[in-house]
Amino acid sequence: MDSGQRMVQARHEVQTFLDRLCYALQDGGARINLVRMRRVDQRRDRRFTNEYTIAQLFPNEDPVQALKRELLSLTVADYIETVKDRRFPKRPNLLVFGKTYHEGDVYVKVRIELMISGSGWWEITILSFISLKPRLPILTFLIEGRCELFDRDRK
């Protein structure tokens, strides 16, 4: 992806995103849209897909409730980068986070937008919630050219 497609946002911008996400989830008017199967999943090992990762991490839970809880636990320290959606360039950017679970590292790509209808509601789109390859920690993922490393404490 060219440099115009990804960027690192300031800490306060990421915190604002997380505050909006928290508000939307706690308000009760949020609709979570999990992209269960993406085109790239057709060529990918099943173990590294959204559906498989969620089923492995939360085997006895309602996936939507588990994802709400996990989204609420995201912090600025988990932030990796922001990317433009190439398929829908007019929609809000996707923020990428990395979370570590006892099963391994998970890559989370999420967007939030206010959809206007009669009363309005929040739509939270989770494009990716996938396990990274075993023994491929998030920093290795970053170093391998997926995005630039950055100072997480940058203001």
Side-chain angles (χ1 to χ4, degrees):
M1 183 181 295
D2 68 43
S3 60
Q5 296 291 326
R6 47 180 53 174
M7 66 190 117
V8 176
Q9 291 185 272
R11 183 180 191 88
H12 73 275
E13 293 173 313
V14 176
Q15 186 60 58
T16 298
F17 174 87
L18 291 171
D19 291 345
R20 288 178 58 214
L21 181 64
C22 181
Y23 174 80
L25 289 168
Q26 293 176 340
D27 178 48
R31 183 177 75 183
I32 293 184
N33 174 23
L34 171 64
V35 179
R36 295 189 184 273
M37 286 299 285
R38 302 175 326 142
R39 276 190 268 173
V40 297
D41 292 341
Q42 295 169 0
R43 310 183 300 275
R44 182 177 281 159
D45 182 328
R46 183 176 171 272
R47 293 174 300 159
F48 307 111
T49 63
N50 292 341
E51 265 191 323
Y52 184 87
T53 301
I54 292 166
Q56 292 302 303
L57 289 175
F58 318 114
N60 301 318
E61 296 181 60
D62 171 14
V64 172
Q65 293 305 313
L67 288 171
K68 281 184 181 181
R69 182 188 65 242
E70 296 307 306
L71 290 174
L72 285 168
S73 75
L74 291 174
T75 67
V76 172
D78 299 323
Y79 175 74
I80 297 173
E81 67 178 339
T82 299
V83 296
K84 290 215 172 281
D85 190 331
R86 290 182 290 180
R87 286 187 61 208
F88 303 103
K90 293 185 180 192
R91 295 184 76 184
N93 292 335
L94 295 147
L95 272 71
V96 179
F97 298 87
K99 293 283 290 182
T100 300
Y101 295 88
H102 59 279
E103 292 86 355
D105 292 329
V106 173
Y107 175 87
V108 181
K109 190 186 295 183
V110 63
R111 127 173 75 231
I112 182 170
E113 54 194 320
L114 182 60
M115 307 300 282
I116 304 302
S117 71
S119 60
W121 77 88
W122 294 97
E123 180 170 286
I124 299 166
T125 301
I126 303 169
L127 192 62
S128 298
F129 197 95
I130 57 170
S131 294
L132 297 176
K133 294 180 181 175
R135 305 214 188 283
L136 182 63
I138 291 167
L139 283 180
T140 302
F141 179 73
L142 297 173
I143 290 169
E144 289 184 346
R146 303 284 177 140
C147 80
E148 296 175 19
L149 289 173
F150 64 98
D151 178 2
R152 290 182 189 259
D153 294 322
R154 186 176 67 183
K155 304 255 187 269

